[in-house]
């Protein structure tokens, strides 16, 4: 199994979710199943069916998170020294060459990505175009509207 890059913050978020699933959600589902069973006939018991579906989701998510954490390569962006190059975990300030609009992104793992927060997936087209570049370089990104050019204004490891 190959390793999955994830930031320290992302790993903590997954660990917190796993803890909640195991200590809150799983016992709650078990209790809901027990209460539904107590109502009698299970063949026409919607609460039982819903609780069993929820149990399947919770158990599946627990397995998924445990698998990701076991294959995770946790990277602390603050300890990365890439000599000014854009790498995983880097925060990059960009300027769109055509509009002059400035944006800031941090390159993170798949589970952490949230464009609204400026967190982009390492496998996204823009992240792939930025990897290996340095401040002052121009990255060309194939967007649905055509090729967009971004100048790298700043690179930081936060």
């Amino acid at each position: 199994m190959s390793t999955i890059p994830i930031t320290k913050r992302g790993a903590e978020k997954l660990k917190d979710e796993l803890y909640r699933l195991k200590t809150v959600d799983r016992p709650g589902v078990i209790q809901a199943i027990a209460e539904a069973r107590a109502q009698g006939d299970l063949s026409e018991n919607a609460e039982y069916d819903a609780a069993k579906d929820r149990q399947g989701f919770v158990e599946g998510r627990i397995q998924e998170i445990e698998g990701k954490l076991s294959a995770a390569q946790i990277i602390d962006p603050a300890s990365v020294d890439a000599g000014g190059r854009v790498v995983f975990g880097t925060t990059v300030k960009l300027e769109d060459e055509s509009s002059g609009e400035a944006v800031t992104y941090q390159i993170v793992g798949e589970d952490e990505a949230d464009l609204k927060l400026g967190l982009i997936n390492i496998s996204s087209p823009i992240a792939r175009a930025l990897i290996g570049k340095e401040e002052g370089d121009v990255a060309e990104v194939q967007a649905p509207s055509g090729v967009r050019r971004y100048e790298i204004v700043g690179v930081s490891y936060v």
Side-chain angles (χ1 to χ4, degrees), residues 40-113:
D41 184 15
L42 298 180
S43 64
E44 295 181 16
N45 189 329
E47 288 84 9
Y48 178 77
D49 290 340
K52 289 300 279 183
D53 287 346
R54 178 79 179 134
Q55 181 183 35
F57 171 78
V58 168
E59 294 302 324
R61 184 67 181 148
I62 287 172
Q63 286 181 347
E64 180 183 358
I65 293 172
E66 286 176 340
K68 286 179 180 181
L69 287 173
S70 70
Q73 177 185 4
I74 300 172
I75 298 170
D76 182 5
S79 66
V80 172
D81 180 20
R85 287 190 341 261
V86 177
V87 294
F88 181 85
T90 304
T91 300
V92 186
K93 186 171 183 180
L94 306 171
E95 185 177 302
D96 188 321
E97 285 192 340
S98 60
S99 69
E101 178 184 346
V103 291
T104 302
Y105 295 124
Q106 181 180 15
I107 300 173
V108 296
E110 178 183 338
D111 291 308
E112 306 169 78

Side-chain angles (χ1 to χ4, degrees), residues 122-155:
I122 183 78
S123 60
S124 69
I126 191 163
R128 288 191 314 236
L130 293 170
I131 296 293
K133 301 253 189 299
E134 297 178 342
E135 191 172 321
D137 289 350
V138 174
E140 292 186 359
V141 180
Q142 182 64 46
S145 60
V147 176
R148 302 200 52 177
R149 294 172 50 90
Y150 293 97
E151 180 182 349
I152 300 173
V153 178
V155 175

